[in-house]
Amino acid sequence: MQEVMKKRAIELLSDGTVAKVIGWMPGEFSYDMTPAVFTTAEEIESNFVYNDFCGANVSKYVMREQKKASDAKILVFLKPCDTYSFNQLTAEHKIVRENVYVIGVGCDGMADVEKIKAAGIEGITGIESDGDKFIVKTVYGDETIARADALAERCAACKSKKLTVYDEIIGEDGEVVENSGRFDLVAKLEAMSADERFEFWRNELSRCIRCNACRNVCPACTCEQCVFDNPKSGIDQKAAADSFEENMFHIIRAFHVAGRCTDCGECSRVCPQHIPLHLLNRKFIKDINELYGDYQAGDDTESKHPLTSFTYDDAEPSVIHERGNE
Amino acid sequence: MMLYLAKDKLDVFFEKASEKLNVYVPVDNTNGSAYRKWTPGTVVSKGLHTTKSAKDFFFPQTENLVEFKMSGKAIEIIDPRRETEDYAVFGVRACDVRSFGILDKVFLSDPVDTYYKNRREHGLILGLSCGRPAETCFCGTFGIDAAEPMADVDFTEADNGYYIKANTEKGEAFVASLGDIFEDRDAAPAEEAKAKTREVLKKLPLSNLTTDGFGGDKLDELFDAAGWADLSEACIGCGTCTFVCPTCQCYDIRDYDTGHGIKRFRCWDSCMFSDFTKMAHGNPRLTQKERFRQRFMHKLVYFPANNDGEYGCVGCGRCLASCPISMNIVKVMKKLAKEDSGK
Ligand code: SF4
Ligand code: SF4
Ligand code: SF4
Ligand code: SF4
Ligand code: SF4
């Protein structure tokens, strides 16, 4: 895969189709790749990587690059889930589609080193993919872990392997995954009593250090100035002074991305405190599906999301109120 | 000879210690750990180190510094400080122990931060030597020996227990006050364990990382290095690296109108945030490149320039493990050193 991607990137750069390539550069330990912008064939030749650990969703970098120069032609490689974010950003006029060449990259799921570490594997010096497992070299000896056990949470519950936007495809396009199981934990939370649920979220959110990584990485968080950074908003906060503020940041953010969140999973991926933020967003998605009919943000760039459009079939407030009392 | 505590006596130790002061220990949470007050039944984490560093004990993420209460023309000044109890922090690794020395240089030099000083004086550090360092560890780069934390009291795991050594008067007094729960034992197993740790440290992937090319006198070369542009390109300007870092020390202070007075609030700030240098006249660090450069220049150039060559990083590896885009001080050091040698 990596070699084909490099070849195409170099070709598209050389023939002038694009001037910049968004990809990844290598890390120190074979699992810590960093998103990068390449402008020359030499850089791509020597420094472009793509492997099981290139999980970062780079769609937001397209927006950033276009902010620097809106007419720059950009090549971006997108996994299926990233294409949903890309579409959503296009729909919200944050990306000028015409100036981007999208290569959709087929995906079997990305690995997450946190999963490998959580399995007790320490001192990792190298990771090799070997069929359905990874061989992990460590300073304490070699270890193996099944690919399924090393999959990122969002990949284990992948909603779709379909590339929703592309100019060309490398690898295989896939299908929307029915019964992905991504709402299983949400259903569990719904089944709890209100007190238990509050307890669950307090336990999770009390770890938040307000680093803003979840917000800054989120392709749906594209406000020029976030209310939490705006001294004029009255609710700006650099740190949560108490549990109320701790909850508020996350609840407001979840509300603000509701209907626009594609469930890309970046927020949970980046959280240094491993807070399952995706469960908040999935609750909103599940509710939207149940109340307004199935809806997937980023499926295309045309449709209006249920929370910003009105139909006579929309759920009445009373229905929603009653659900709240369950 | 050395003092020894069998593993199954650890709880007895915490119990006895808790009679004298509050004891905080690392406790596992989801894929990480954090310090919690020890109470009977608390299970101590076996992890290498806590997700967040231990700096919160002296420099908490949020605190109220002072309150002013107005009644008519009279202003009452209220000092909200309540921390007057002694406490101990168990399980602090060598890197974090060294970080306190770095924070001391900032907060205890003139003008002394009395909030920090107060907490520091009430705290007792119980270090724990590392048995299984991670690939992200590079304490050795800064001359730290993971086998000898050099805390008030050091614990070294060996022979199904802990070997204990007091390094300070405070530590000695503490150990003496609990004296009868320790046994005297031959120190050989502890020395063996330390030697084993040092062998592992040599095998770590970052064991060859050096500070060559960095230091207080490198301002001009490094400030304008070409590498910053690429290094900072993908940075999302979150505060993750600064907030998990044991040596990051920046804070913000604001006054809040409480309706009947003013509350002065302090919280951690991050040079990675876009408003960090925002002032009345504007912002001198306009892009992420300048903000990103600040964090690493501070640790590798400005801090040593002002502190007799001591670097502002202890190689704990937290920023390596936590950064959303896997950019960190090691990648910065390697790239800039390479660029420098290429010149
Ligand atoms: S990434 Fe995690 S710790 Fe950081 S602000 Fe978001 S929830 Fe809090
Ligand atoms: S809220 Fe999380 S899952 Fe949703 S778009 Fe943002 S980063 Fe992705
Ligand atoms: S270096 Fe990484 S952790 Fe630090 S601000 Fe940038 S993206 Fe966040
Ligand atoms: S800069 Fe990174 S490695 Fe150095 S002390 Fe801070 S968190 Fe640890
Ligand atoms: S950096 Fe060194 S002292 Fe710190 S945890 Fe790793 S091995 Fe231990």
Side-chain angles (χ1 to χ4, degrees):
Chain A
M1 188 85 88
Q2 173 182 303
E3 291 316 307
V4 188
M5 289 165 77
K6 280 169 88 165
K7 189 167 153 271
R8 279 305 283 146
I10 291 172
E11 282 166 7
L12 290 163
L13 262 183
S14 316
D15 70 14
T17 310
V18 300
K20 288 179 176 180
V21 177
I22 298 177
W24 291 262
M25 56 186 184
E28 288 291 324
F29 315 113
S30 71
Y31 61 74
D32 57 337
M33 269 55 68
T34 298
V37 181
F38 301 88
T39 52
T40 66
E42 294 73 55
E43 281 169 11
I44 291 178
E45 203 52 76
S46 63
N47 231 12
F48 183 103
V49 283
Y50 191 74
N51 62 27
D52 295 302
F53 293 89
C54 294
N57 174 355
V58 292
S59 61
K60 203 175 180 181
Y61 287 110
V62 177
M63 179 186 97
R64 276 177 55 168
E65 285 307 311
Q66 289 194 337
K67 248 190 200 163
K68 290 184 205 159
S70 61
D71 53 350
K73 298 276 185 204
I74 297 168
L75 165 63
V76 66
F77 295 99
L78 300 178
K79 304 187 294 298
C81 51
D82 306 342
T83 64
Y84 287 84
S85 307
F86 185 91
N87 268 346
Q88 188 62 29
L89 284 162
T90 308
E92 293 174 12
H93 310 289
K94 298 288 182 185
I95 285 177
V96 183
R97 171 69 181 96
E98 297 74 64
N99 292 339
V100 190
Y101 193 93
V102 177
I103 297 189
V105 185
C107 183
D108 292 330
M110 288 287 168
D112 178 359
V113 74
E114 298 287 348
K115 282 278 200 71
I116 298 177
K117 289 183 181 175
I121 300 178
E122 298 164 313
I124 301 169
T125 54
I127 304 177
E128 281 160 30
S129 174
D130 180 16
D132 58 1
K133 59 181 190 295
F134 288 108
I135 299 172
V136 188
K137 303 215 174 308
T138 85
V139 285
Y140 306 106
D142 289 2
E143 304 262 6
T144 54
I145 181 166
R147 177 177 278 273
D149 296 334
L151 271 192
E153 190 285 332
R154 58 184 166 167
C155 301
C158 177
K159 63 181 181 290
S160 170
K161 301 206 185 297
K162 186 176 94 183
L163 294 159
T164 57
V165 56
Y166 54 82
D167 294 297
E168 67 177 87
I169 290 179
I170 292 178
E172 301 254 326
D173 196 359
E175 298 291 330
V176 171
V177 182
E178 305 293 340
N179 306 320
S180 63
R182 65 180 169 136
F183 298 121
D184 292 359
L185 269 173
V186 179
K188 244 190 196 165
L189 285 171
E190 285 171 343
M192 289 180 179
S193 71
D195 285 344
E196 286 168 343
R197 205 157 45 230
F198 189 75
E199 186 59 31
F200 172 87
W201 280 111
R202 278 309 305 143
N203 181 35
E204 295 295 343
L205 296 179
S206 63
R207 295 200 303 278
C208 176
I209 56 173
R210 267 310 295 282
C211 65
N212 294 323
C214 51
R215 179 195 71 184
N216 292 14
V217 83
C218 174
C221 277
T222 53
C223 294
E224 287 292 320
Q225 191 174 34
C226 178
V227 278
F228 291 102
D229 286 350
N230 184 354
K232 290 188 193 125
S233 73
I235 59 160
D236 63 315
Q237 32 159 272
K238 211 160 251 172
D242 53 32
S243 58
F244 175 79
E245 289 191 358
E246 235 161 40
N247 297 346
M248 182 171 75
F249 174 72
H250 294 286
I251 293 170
I252 290 188
R253 208 182 79 77
F255 265 100
H256 198 188
V257 300
R260 306 189 301 118
C261 164
T262 63
D263 197 11
C264 72
E266 282 290 272
C267 45
S268 293
R269 177 184 71 83
V270 301
C271 179
Q273 291 284 31
H274 307 286
I275 299 171
L277 298 161
H278 58 276
L279 295 178
L280 278 179
N281 304 309
R282 284 184 188 167
K283 167 65 177 159
F284 279 85
I285 296 171
K286 186 167 179 283
D287 279 355
I288 289 173
N289 287 348
E290 286 169 7
L291 292 168
Y292 304 99
D294 282 352
Y295 177 79
Q296 172 60 53
D299 217 357
D300 57 54
T301 56
E302 310 302 322
S303 43
K304 276 203 152 177
H305 75 74
L307 301 183
T308 53
S309 58
F310 171 79
T311 72
Y312 286 106
D313 301 331
D314 277 357
E316 294 296 332
S318 58
V319 174
I320 295 164
H321 180 73
E322 264 168 42
R323 284 166 51 100
N325 290 339
E326 269 165 26
Chain B
M1 294 298 270
M2 231 175 148
L3 292 178
Y4 171 88
L5 178 78
K7 234 175 219 171
D8 55 15
K9 288 256 187 67
L10 191 61
D11 274 343
V12 181
F13 164 74
F14 287 138
E15 204 176 306
K16 285 258 187 265
S18 294
E19 285 166 14
K20 300 179 194 303
L21 35 64
N22 289 325
V23 181
Y24 292 86
V25 299
V27 175
D28 283 335
N29 54 35
T30 317
N31 285 1
S33 61
Y35 289 103
R36 290 278 169 273
K37 192 167 149 181
W38 184 88
T39 51
T42 303
V43 180
V44 178
S45 166
K46 292 195 171 67
L48 184 64
H49 54 33
T50 47
T51 313
K52 248 169 127 185
S53 80
K55 74 178 170 193
D56 283 70
F57 284 107
F58 316 124
F59 174 40
Q61 184 161 14
T62 61
E63 69 182 309
N64 290 326
L65 297 178
V66 62
E67 278 172 52
F68 305 95
K69 229 184 196 151
M70 256 94 76
S71 41
K73 281 205 168 146
I75 302 178
E76 191 191 345
I77 301 174
I78 304 164
D79 185 342
R81 263 176 287 193
R82 298 283 175 274
E83 293 103 341
T84 48
E85 288 179 348
D86 287 339
Y87 61 94
V89 188
F90 174 81
V92 184
R93 302 297 185 177
C95 49
D96 284 4
V97 172
R98 172 70 69 87
S99 78
F100 305 147
I102 291 174
L103 294 179
D104 284 352
K105 292 206 159 98
V106 178
F107 291 109
L108 298 183
S109 57
D110 209 33
V112 171
D113 186 314
T114 54
Y115 299 83
Y116 177 91
K117 183 165 177 262
N118 175 47
R119 297 197 183 93
R120 194 82 170 90
E121 281 168 357
H122 284 293
L124 178 80
I125 306 301
L126 308 175
L128 182 60
S129 50
C130 300
R132 285 170 79 84
E135 70 275 15
T136 45
C137 296
F138 58 108
C139 48
T141 300
F142 302 103
I144 297 164
D145 180 2
E148 304 262 12
M150 298 307 287
D152 290 315
V153 183
D154 282 352
F155 286 63
T156 302
E157 224 176 314
D159 214 6
N160 213 21
Y162 298 92
Y163 284 81
I164 289 142
K165 188 175 136 231
N167 295 312
T168 62
E169 262 174 45
K170 203 171 172 180
E172 267 167 26
F174 173 73
V175 170
S177 74
L178 302 165
D180 58 339
I181 71 166
F182 303 117
E183 322 167 15
D184 262 324
R185 277 226 195 162
D186 178 55
E191 291 312 318
E192 244 170 67
K194 287 182 201 170
K196 230 171 116 191
T197 295
R198 292 185 187 118
E199 280 310 308
V200 175
L201 289 167
K202 274 191 227 154
K203 286 196 280 179
L204 291 181
L206 302 179
S207 59
N208 294 326
L209 186 72
T210 72
T211 52
D212 292 352
F214 300 94
D217 56 345
K218 293 286 191 283
L219 180 104
D220 293 337
E221 294 102 296
L222 294 173
F223 193 83
D224 290 322
W228 294 115
D230 279 354
L231 287 164
S232 62
E233 184 115 58
C235 173
I236 62 171
C238 61
T240 305
C241 50
T242 45
F243 288 177
V244 297
C245 178
T247 66
C248 274
Q249 59 216 221
C250 291
Y251 56 80
D252 195 3
I253 294 180
R254 267 180 69 177
D255 287 352
Y256 286 92
D257 187 347
T258 59
H260 40 75
I262 284 169
K263 200 176 243 177
R264 181 159 296 168
F265 173 78
R266 157 156 89 175
C267 68
W268 293 353
D269 203 347
S270 169
C271 53
M272 291 294 199
F273 290 161
S274 56
D275 65 354
F276 184 73
T277 43
K278 197 165 149 204
M279 291 172 273
H281 91 284
N283 194 338
R285 294 187 199 140
L286 284 175
T287 71
Q288 200 56 30
K289 185 183 113 176
E290 290 91 50
R291 299 167 200 141
F292 181 96
R293 174 173 63 194
Q294 164 62 26
R295 178 160 193 270
F296 302 103
M297 286 293 282
H298 187 196
K299 298 203 182 299
L300 299 168
V301 178
Y302 312 144
F303 200 84
N306 295 323
N307 295 282
D308 311 315
E310 179 161 4
Y311 290 94
C313 170
V314 294
C316 73
R318 284 187 178 88
C319 60
L320 280 70
S322 294
C323 172
I325 55 137
S326 298
M327 182 43 71
N328 52 60
I329 194 161
V330 169
K331 289 186 179 176
V332 167
M333 288 170 79
K334 287 199 172 176
K335 182 167 174 104
L336 295 183
K338 205 164 146 198
E339 208 174 274
D340 192 38
S341 65
K343 259 186 218 159

